Amino acid sequence: SQTIHQWPATLVQPVGSPLSLECTVEGTSNPNLYWYRQAAGRGLQLLFYSVGIGQISSEVPQNLSASRPQDRQFILSSKKLLLSDSGFYLCAWSVPRGLNTEAFFGQGTRLTVV
Amino acid sequence: QQPVQSPQAVILREGEDAVINCSSSKALYSVHWYRQKHGEAPVFLMILLKGGEQKGHDKISASFNEKKQQSSLYLTASQLSYSGTYFCGTEIPPGTYKYIFGTGTRLKVLA
């Protein structure tokens, strides 16, 4: 069966520090991969998505970036965090099979920038 | 471009029914529904693929009207465990793998 791993679960970082969140998927190949951010009490904002190695589509660039160095690995990064980067970050995957692209989520990373 | 959900929030007593709507300004070819408990990741509930399709399990069902570009989630005889935030999700534009979520509906079921 397919599983998705996302770490760390919680993170407290000072303003201006770098960020690296990692997500890996097991049990499937060539998944679509996604990064979402959820501010407290708000909805799910799509940040980046990828349909293949090295292919990244950016929705909200700002000071975040994403990379997909391997088929089942998706990394979210920032060189310098802002207070507004605080939130719940969720990695998700889906199988590309036409329109049946429901998303399955990792456990999420709660990031607090102080 | 983000689908709009209504209502934004609803409070129910156990056993009461609720309807959550998801409307899009863009054409929908499939709609998915999720529930998110506080502090947790969203969990997939069901998928609707064809216009007019209705699906359901237990006391939760959903319908999809392609022409109106909307979907509705029906929760009947609500239970405490139904509390959470409900999101519709869809691929817009279809075939792009750009997967986005609706604005969300917070549901609280009281004993």
Side-chain angles (χ1 to χ4, degrees):
Chain A
S1 63
Q2 300 90 356
T3 56
I4 179 170
H5 302 280
Q6 183 182 343
W7 65 93
T10 59
L11 193 59
V12 180
Q13 293 284 98
V15 169
S17 64
L19 172 74
S20 180
L21 301 180
E22 189 165 341
C23 170
T24 59
V25 180
E26 295 179 357
T28 187
S29 59
N30 197 31
N32 297 325
L33 295 171
Y34 303 85
W35 279 110
Y36 295 90
R37 178 171 61 198
Q38 189 174 33
R42 304 295 295 275
L44 296 156
Q45 179 187 32
L46 177 62
L47 300 176
F48 301 94
Y49 64 102
S50 171
V51 300
I53 296 175
Q55 299 178 60
I56 309 293
S57 296
S58 173
E59 292 297 301
V60 186
Q62 295 181 353
N63 68 320
L64 297 173
S65 63
S67 62
R68 184 171 178 172
Q70 299 180 44
D71 181 44
R72 290 169 288 178
Q73 183 185 30
F74 205 23
I75 298 172
L76 181 70
S77 304
S78 174
K79 292 182 180 178
K80 288 186 177 182
L81 285 168
L82 307 172
L83 286 174
S84 58
D85 290 324
S86 293
F88 192 39
Y89 287 80
L90 288 155
C91 180
W93 73 274
S94 70
V95 176
R97 53 175 192 267
L99 298 175
N100 303 358
T101 53
E102 66 268 31
F104 299 95
F105 289 86
Q107 66 174 10
T109 297
R110 191 160 303 281
L111 172 67
T112 304
V113 183
V114 296
Chain B
Q1 204 174 31
Q2 180 182 31
V4 177
Q5 291 182 228
S6 62
Q8 288 186 336
V10 58
I11 299 176
L12 301 172
R13 293 283 180 186
E14 269 189 298
E16 293 181 337
D17 302 340
V19 180
I20 298 172
N21 300 302
C22 171
S23 295
S24 173
S25 59
K26 304 284 186 181
L28 295 175
Y29 292 92
S30 66
V31 177
H32 317 96
W33 285 96
Y34 300 79
R35 177 170 59 212
Q36 183 181 30
K37 298 284 188 178
H38 182 68
E40 300 178 5
V43 173
F44 171 71
L45 292 176
M46 66 183 71
I47 180 173
L48 298 111
L49 294 174
K50 296 185 289 186
E53 182 175 15
Q54 291 189 321
K55 297 191 74 173
H57 58 88
D58 199 10
K59 297 185 176 72
I60 301 176
S61 61
S63 64
F64 178 26
N65 188 321
E66 272 185 63
K67 287 184 179 179
K68 293 185 178 180
Q69 296 175 179
Q70 64 183 209
S71 176
S72 296
L73 186 71
Y74 307 93
L75 301 103
T76 58
S78 58
Q79 306 168 15
L80 293 175
S81 62
Y82 287 2
S83 293
T85 302
Y86 289 79
F87 293 97
C88 59
T90 190
E91 190 181 64
I92 292 179
T96 63
Y97 304 116
K98 178 181 171 182
Y99 196 86
I100 62 174
F101 290 87
T103 50
T105 296
R106 293 189 305 278
L107 178 80
K108 187 170 181 61
V109 181
L110 302 175

